[in-house]
């Protein structure tokens, strides 16, 4: 009854959730960007399982590549550690 | 460890919620009428877009005006970020000079790998964009994949490497404008032969030389590819200007 692709979907989405939580609480912003990239990879796999290849192609390039690089640029222009 | 407590709580809520809600949902077994219309018509039907790729035919034909406005929103965003980083002619020239702290980029290993990967990214992005009417993908997807290539070059070499080889901000903006202009022209061409804006069939030929090009879809995809790739590249080139250079400009402006 439980289908294997639904199980894979569950695992990837949970990985994405865990890494987005880690990205939020992390004080070292470069590490947080890394976590957010892992979350993006997990979600890209989830989109692939959900049979949305058009979204995957845009999402991989933007969320893993461009978004991560933009944030690294921003961190390099400001400070690396989040001070509360 | 205390940090992970909220995470455990969130996961528990999700699992309990899913356990309680899922049995009450009825799975959808057949395609909705609207989806059925697109699936049947995108290539074979009476309202054909002559494209076997349903998503692209919806994006650039059935719901073409949506995508047109989406593109304009994207370009407003690019223009906004370009305005934030605007420089005058003299400052622009100065930003192209290497700073004293510039060390020449990353190591030889990374540079060699980047060369190979950039070539592969260019090929893949062109394939995504130009096959957008046949396989999943399209102009925006291809363009954003294309934008990763200059990004890698900026990271491994420097922005100066791009500028010395002729890809500076002005050229990127020109490419982007060509893309935009192309989209606008392709959208307006049907008016000349009595059609309506963004009409695809039967005004554009579906096949050229025996190759399926799906009427206007391939032109839209190509121009969107250029526009998105070059737009992102222009923003990256501006962002890659070191902060020390910007500080220098600001200090000088404060003096004057």
């Amino acid at each position: 009854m439980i289908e294997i692709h639904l199980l894979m979907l569950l695992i990837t989405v949970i990985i994405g959730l865990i890494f987005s939580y880690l990205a939020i609480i992390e004080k070292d912003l470069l590490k947080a960007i890394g976590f957010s990239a892992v979350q993006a990879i997990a979600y890209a796999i989830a989109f692939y399982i959900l049979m949305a290849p058009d979204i995957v192609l845009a999402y991989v390039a933007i969320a893993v590549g461009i978004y991560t690089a933009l944030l690294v640029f921003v961190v390099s222009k400001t400070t690396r550690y989040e001070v509360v | 460890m205390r940090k992970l407590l909220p995470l455990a709580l969130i996961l528990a809520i999700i699992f309990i919620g899913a356990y309680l809600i899922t049995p009450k949902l009825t799975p959808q077994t057949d395609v909705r009428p609207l989806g059925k219309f697109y699936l049947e018509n995108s290539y074979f039907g009476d309202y054909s877009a002559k494209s076997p790729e349903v998503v692209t035919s919806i994006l650039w034909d059935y719901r073409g005006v949506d995508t047109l406005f989406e593109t304009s929103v994207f370009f407003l965003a690019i223009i906004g970020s370009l305005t934030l980083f605007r420089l005058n002619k003299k400052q622009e020239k100065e930003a192209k000079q290497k700073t004293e702290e510039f060390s020449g980029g990353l190591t030889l290993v990374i540079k060699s790998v980047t060369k190979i990967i950039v070539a592969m990214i260019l090929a893949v992005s062109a394939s995504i964009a130009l096959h957008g009417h046949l396989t999943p993908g399209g102009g925006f997807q291809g363009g954003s994949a294309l934008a990763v290539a200059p990004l890698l070059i900026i990271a491994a070499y420097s922005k100066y490497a791009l500028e010395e080889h002729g890809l500076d901000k002005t050229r990127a903006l020109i490419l982007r404008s060509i893309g935009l202009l192309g989209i606008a022209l392709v959208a307006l061409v049907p008016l000349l032969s009595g059609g309506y804006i963004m009409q695809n069939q039967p005004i554009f030929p579906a096949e050229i030389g025996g190759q399926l090009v799906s009427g206007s879809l391939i032109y839209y995809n190509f121009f969107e590819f250029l526009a998105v790739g070059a737009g992102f590249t222009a923003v990256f080139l501006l962002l890659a200007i070191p902060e020390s250079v910007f500080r220098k400009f600001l200090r000088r402006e404060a003096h004057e």
Side-chain angles (χ1 to χ4, degrees):
Chain A
M1 198 181 121
I2 293 177
E3 290 168 56
I4 189 82
H5 69 276
L6 288 182
L7 213 61
M8 283 163 69
L9 180 66
L10 177 74
I11 292 170
T12 48
V13 172
I14 292 290
I15 289 175
L17 182 82
I18 290 172
F19 274 96
S20 49
Y21 177 77
L22 287 176
I24 292 169
I25 62 164
E26 183 60 55
K27 291 282 181 267
D28 182 345
L29 293 177
L30 273 184
K31 265 192 196 169
I33 294 168
F35 287 142
S36 132
V38 176
Q39 175 258 327
I41 294 169
Y43 275 21
I45 299 170
F47 284 136
Y48 181 71
I49 297 168
L50 288 170
M51 293 187 280
D54 289 84
I55 306 293
V56 174
L57 288 171
Y59 192 80
V60 164
I62 291 181
V64 183
I66 293 170
Y67 178 69
T68 310
L70 263 181
L71 287 182
V72 170
F73 274 132
V74 171
V75 167
S76 79
K77 282 175 182 293
T78 53
T79 53
R80 183 169 166 185
Y81 293 94
E82 182 184 342
V83 186
V84 184
Chain B
M1 217 55 226
R2 267 186 65 202
K3 277 181 179 173
L4 295 181
L5 202 66
L7 181 64
L9 201 68
I10 294 170
L11 284 179
I13 291 172
I14 287 176
F15 274 106
I16 293 170
Y19 183 76
L20 292 178
I21 293 169
T22 358
K24 286 174 186 143
L25 298 174
T26 48
Q28 187 191 354
T29 47
D30 49 337
V31 183
R32 291 196 183 121
L34 184 66
K36 218 169 188 172
F37 172 83
Y38 287 133
L39 284 175
E40 284 167 355
N41 278 283
S42 83
Y43 190 63
F44 291 110
D46 298 333
Y47 301 99
S48 172
K50 287 280 178 238
S51 163
E53 230 285 278
V54 183
V55 177
T56 306
S57 46
I58 292 174
L59 275 180
W60 282 117
D61 190 352
Y62 298 117
R63 291 285 172 270
V65 183
D66 264 18
T67 316
L68 203 66
F69 282 111
E70 231 174 81
T71 310
S72 59
V73 167
F74 176 74
F75 288 108
L76 281 181
I78 295 277
I79 287 171
S81 45
L82 290 179
T83 318
L84 269 180
F85 289 100
R86 71 185 177 280
L87 301 171
N88 57 33
K89 279 236 167 74
K90 202 176 136 208
Q91 287 170 332
E92 224 161 75
K93 204 171 257 178
E94 207 175 323
K96 279 185 191 173
Q97 305 293 320
K98 286 176 188 166
T99 52
E100 283 154 19
E101 64 252 43
F102 176 64
S103 59
L106 298 177
T107 59
L108 185 67
V109 179
I110 297 177
K111 282 183 174 175
S112 314
V113 172
T114 308
K115 269 182 200 163
I116 302 169
I117 291 182
V118 162
M120 292 192 325
I121 287 176
L122 290 180
V124 167
S125 62
S127 146
I128 293 175
L130 297 179
H131 290 165
H133 57 292
L134 302 174
T135 53
F140 187 77
Q141 288 91 332
S144 44
L146 175 71
V148 177
L151 194 61
L152 276 182
I153 295 176
I154 289 172
Y157 292 77
S158 62
K159 80 186 261 296
Y160 310 115
L162 271 184
E163 279 163 355
E164 279 162 14
H165 287 84
L167 184 67
D168 58 357
K169 194 198 85 186
T170 324
R171 294 235 173 111
L173 285 181
I174 290 171
L175 269 181
R176 169 180 161 280
S177 309
I178 291 174
L180 272 184
L181 206 66
I183 292 176
L185 285 181
V186 177
L188 291 178
V189 158
L191 290 179
L192 295 178
S193 40
Y196 45 86
I197 285 187
M198 292 199 82
Q199 187 175 0
N200 179 2
Q201 298 298 330
I203 287 167
F204 292 93
E207 289 186 12
I208 294 179
Q211 292 288 321
L212 183 69
V213 296
S214 303
S216 59
L217 297 188
I218 191 169
Y219 310 118
Y220 284 130
N221 274 337
F222 176 70
F223 287 123
E224 176 93 356
F225 170 65
L226 271 189
V228 171
F232 272 132
T233 307
V235 172
F236 291 142
L237 280 173
L238 277 179
L239 267 177
I241 297 173
E243 190 61 15
S244 57
V245 177
F246 270 118
R247 289 234 177 88
K248 209 162 70 190
F249 293 154
L250 285 179
R251 220 172 292 139
R252 206 176 298 153
E253 270 174 22
H255 269 292
E256 283 161 8

